[in-house]
Amino acid sequence: MTADSLFDLHLPHPADPPGRSGQNGEVFTRRWVVDLMLDLVGYTPDRNLASMRIVEPACGEGAFLGPIVQRLSASCRRHKRSLLEAASAIEAIDLLAHNVQQAQQLVSRLLIDDGWNAIEVDKVVQGWILQGDYLLRSRSSESADFVVGNPPYIRLEDVPEVRMAAYRRSCNTMGGRADIYVGFYEKGLVSLKSDGKLAFICADRWMRNQYGRGLRQLIARQYSMDLALIMHDVDAFEDQVSAYPAITVISNRTQGTAIAADTRRSFSSAQAHEFASWTTSSNDQYVDTETYHAARLPHWFAGDDSWPSASPARLAMLEELSQRYQLLEDRRTGTRVGIGVATGADKIFITDRADLVETDRLLPLSMVRDTKTGIFEWNGSYLVNPWDSAGNLVDLTNYPRLASYFKRHASVLRKRHIAIKQPSRWYKTIDKVDPHLTAQPKLLLPDMKMTIHPVLDEGGYYPHHNLYFIVSDSWDLRVLGGLMLSKVAEAFVEAYAVKMRGGTLRFQAQYLRKIRVPNQDDIDESTCNALREAFEKRDSSAATEAALRAYGLDHLPD
């Protein structure tokens, strides 16, 4: 079945997911929001819009089309262009025939009320507004100067199976449990001419979650993320929705400077006009008003990893530190971030009995409870260790007590996925034990905490998988511990990490690796001493004060 033939299928409407209004994920955008988006991409009547092309990929009943047509009409008057000369200036598409009919009627009425000839109006409107599936259209690339709209909010698994398969074939970025708006981003971006701009108002989850990785990668490689305006608390839609929306503006050009902005609940029409003016007319790096705050960044965050979430001022600080300093994990300093051992059967592999098996098969294990006070206090846990000092799985015939113990629990151990994959190695832990790690001094960080909580293990213990660790060949770990205890280091994790209920943060390796640190040799002795002392006293405020000096910062933005 071809993509075009799908247009003729009678497809049932998906059930409306919670927080979404209308059929097929329709959420109608307020007029002032539309005007803001058109201003942000430069679709303004002072330009010769009849010679340009704007695409509205899911036009609904015309929430965007009305303002677009009014601006195009004003531009034609100003530049003395006939309406027929603008016959290719708009391409609006919708899946539903009812929406297409309503949008055509709206646009016709607006143009006739503005004094255009009814026959000419009918010709252009029939060519501008078409029924179809934007994600399955085979239009040539680089045909649009602007792509603007509010794409549908529908999870891919809510789409009929035949169409879902076609979407996945058509849109490479639509992986996992994506909402179909991911595909609208992809199709819109690839349709842009050089320097063309896309502006969508859409849920911002794709910037951080797994299903947005492909889209983030596409943008990082080929486009410029120009602006992200977070509007979580703003009344941006005609109906109440729980979509956590953001306006994003992306250009078909090499990445340049970017604007990160956030709004407060009272942000509305007048403030939107003021904000749009600031983006184009001001050279200020920051703006902070009662209704919005924004910062200019030297460029957007690179790569397909989760993009950070923080206030604009803090994002600007993080980007500046990313430009000036190296990552925490660095081969040049021998600094490494890792996670403790996962066993797949903790009740069997972890014990507090020092006589359970042969003494050299018991490895002292550090647990989260050993770090609670901020001073490492071992509570007597051991790993029943099936690995030798060379990192090889031991031969059980050489360890009769270990063999007997594992055989008593063989039914459980053999049911683990790792044992099913490797039946002859059924008694291994999921992770291999690194024979060198035990003796190394290491900073331990519990996975889930309200605040960052580095604790020093002087050596002699192996971390459990609920603990992450930092080891280094060159850092004084008490100095590094002071940096990690500071709110500066926590700011990196807070910006990238998944936040749990109640504000608990995940201090996982992938987030710890985002932390930037100065070169220890560049930190003056008094600051090093202050970091050491703050770490030993567990004084986060003193650690933050010393860290600000080490990073060359005056303060930590909210």
Side-chain angles (χ1 to χ4, degrees):
M1 181 179 292
T2 66
D4 290 338
S5 67
L6 285 170
F7 294 146
D8 300 324
L9 292 174
H10 178 68
L11 298 175
H13 298 313
D16 289 334
R20 295 166 182 170
S21 65
Q23 293 180 325
N24 289 276
E26 295 168 311
V27 179
F28 302 109
T29 312
R30 293 190 182 279
R31 169 63 187 258
W32 68 265
V33 177
V34 177
D35 283 330
L36 170 60
M37 294 169 65
L38 294 173
D39 287 343
L40 290 173
V41 298
Y43 192 81
T44 52
D46 58 297
R47 304 180 71 179
N48 189 359
L49 300 180
S51 298
M52 298 178 171
R53 185 178 189 84
I54 188 168
V55 176
E56 215 290 43
C59 68
E61 296 179 3
F64 280 80
L65 271 178
I68 287 170
V69 167
Q70 288 175 324
R71 292 183 180 218
L72 174 60
S73 177
S75 173
C76 286
R77 301 285 194 199
R78 181 176 298 190
H79 295 276
K80 299 182 173 17
R81 304 292 298 273
S82 73
L83 195 60
L84 292 179
E85 289 179 277
S88 299
I90 295 175
E91 180 183 16
I93 304 137
D94 200 89
L95 188 64
L96 303 180
H98 170 77
N99 282 349
V100 171
Q101 183 180 17
Q102 292 293 313
Q104 288 175 340
Q105 291 174 359
L106 169 68
V107 170
S108 295
R109 185 172 66 251
L110 288 173
L111 290 173
I112 290 172
D113 288 348
D114 200 28
W116 295 101
N117 178 275
I119 296 175
E120 292 184 354
V121 166
D122 185 63
K123 287 182 180 179
V124 295
V125 168
Q126 294 300 317
W128 284 348
I129 307 170
L130 305 170
Q131 183 182 5
D133 191 325
Y134 181 71
L135 297 185
L136 301 179
R137 289 171 64 85
S138 56
R139 184 160 192 92
S140 60
S141 62
E142 299 187 355
S143 61
D145 296 283
F146 310 96
V147 178
V148 180
N150 175 6
Y153 290 48
I154 306 173
R155 289 194 179 95
L156 196 53
E157 60 264 32
D158 292 332
V159 175
E161 188 173 343
V162 173
R163 193 179 290 275
M164 178 178 67
Y167 285 167
R168 289 193 186 277
R169 290 193 300 270
S170 180
C171 305
N172 294 330
T173 58
M174 291 180 68
R177 296 168 60 85
D179 279 65
I180 67 168
Y181 66 71
V182 170
F184 278 78
Y185 269 101
E186 178 183 336
K187 288 292 188 181
L189 289 172
V190 299
S191 75
L192 291 177
K193 296 177 181 177
S194 178
D195 291 323
K197 292 180 180 290
L198 175 146
F200 281 166
I201 181 167
C202 198
D204 65 356
R205 290 174 296 177
W206 67 273
M207 300 185 196
R208 281 169 282 283
N209 63 17
Q210 181 62 33
Y211 74 60
R213 180 177 292 274
L215 179 56
R216 295 193 298 270
Q217 183 180 72
L218 175 67
I219 293 168
R221 288 181 177 178
Q222 300 181 38
Y223 299 94
S224 174
M225 184 76 176
D226 295 344
L227 179 144
L229 175 63
I230 305 302
M231 302 179 70
H232 289 182
D233 296 324
V234 175
D235 190 15
F237 303 112
E238 297 292 346
D239 298 298
Q240 290 295 317
V241 297
S242 55
Y244 300 106
I247 292 173
T248 49
V249 177
I250 308 169
S251 296
N252 184 11
R253 62 182 177 91
T254 303
Q255 179 66 57
T257 58
I259 292 173
D262 201 352
T263 56
R264 300 179 176 97
R265 185 178 297 275
S266 55
F267 185 80
S268 191
S269 177
Q271 296 81 24
H273 179 76
E274 180 185 308
F275 172 74
S277 178
W278 178 83
T279 65
T280 57
S281 304
S282 173
N283 293 321
D284 293 342
Q285 291 298 110
Y286 302 98
V287 61
D288 191 359
T289 75
E290 292 183 357
T291 60
Y292 68 90
H293 48 135
R296 297 183 192 276
L297 311 181
H299 53 72
W300 194 248
F301 298 87
D304 58 6
D305 286 341
S306 175
W307 289 342
S309 173
S311 71
R314 185 163 287 193
L315 286 177
M317 179 204 73
L318 295 178
E319 180 62 12
E320 180 191 0
L321 295 184
S322 296
Q323 294 298 303
R324 286 199 279 142
Y325 297 116
Q326 63 201 23
L327 290 166
L328 170 63
E329 185 169 80
D330 192 329
R331 290 183 180 179
R332 293 170 297 178
T333 62
T335 304
R336 180 167 65 93
V337 178
I339 186 173
V341 62
T343 70
D346 279 358
K347 290 184 178 180
I348 296 169
F349 281 103
I350 298 176
T351 183
D352 58 2
R353 286 183 52 189
D355 61 349
L356 182 67
V357 296
E358 289 84 356
T359 302
D360 64 342
R361 292 298 90 220
L362 292 173
L363 183 63
L365 194 67
S366 54
M367 308 288 287
V368 168
R369 65 174 178 268
D370 303 334
T371 68
K372 182 176 288 189
T373 66
I375 305 299
F376 183 77
E377 298 173 317
W378 185 55
N379 281 271
S381 296
Y382 296 93
L383 176 73
V384 181
N385 184 16
W387 305 96
D388 65 20
S389 59
N392 300 313
L393 201 61
V394 299
D395 185 343
L396 291 180
T397 60
N398 296 327
Y399 294 93
R401 293 174 64 195
L402 181 67
S404 175
Y405 177 72
F406 280 155
K407 286 176 183 176
R408 288 201 305 272
H409 298 285
S411 61
V412 173
L413 295 178
R414 290 182 183 276
K415 288 179 182 178
R416 296 173 304 149
H417 179 69
I418 191 73
I420 293 170
K421 286 175 59 180
Q422 299 176 294
S424 65
R425 296 163 64 84
W426 59 273
Y427 55 95
K428 71 189 292 273
T429 53
I430 291 176
D431 296 326
K432 181 183 288 191
V433 168
D434 177 355
H436 306 294
L437 181 60
T438 305
Q440 283 184 281
K442 53 191 104 39
L443 291 172
L444 303 174
L445 294 104
D447 180 2
M448 293 187 288
K449 295 285 286 186
M450 295 293 290
T451 58
I452 196 164
H453 188 73
V455 176
L456 180 61
D457 163 18
E458 301 267 15
Y461 303 91
Y462 202 92
H464 182 246
H465 69 86
N466 284 337
L467 287 170
Y468 291 84
F469 65 83
I470 304 169
V471 293
S472 181
D473 295 337
S474 57
W475 272 97
D476 177 334
L477 288 185
R478 286 178 172 81
V479 174
L480 183 59
L483 287 176
M484 293 301 102
L485 185 63
S486 75
K487 293 298 182 182
V488 182
E490 187 176 292
F492 281 94
V493 177
E494 189 175 27
Y496 286 97
V498 173
K499 296 174 182 65
M500 310 296 286
R501 183 173 297 177
T504 299
L505 292 170
R506 302 297 303 271
F507 292 93
Q508 297 175 316
Q510 68 212 62
Y511 308 128
L512 296 172
R513 291 186 180 113
K514 296 289 188 183
I515 297 173
R516 298 278 176 163
V517 292
N519 188 317
Q520 183 175 343
D521 293 339
D522 295 333
I523 305 175
D524 64 77
E525 185 175 353
S526 64
T527 302
C528 284
N529 289 335
L531 288 166
R532 286 191 197 94
E533 183 176 353
F535 177 68
E536 290 172 351
K537 291 183 176 180
R538 310 302 299 171
D539 188 338
S540 174
S541 296
T544 300
E545 183 179 339
L548 288 172
R549 296 199 302 271
Y551 283 98
L553 296 172
D554 294 327
H555 69 288
L556 183 65
D558 293 330

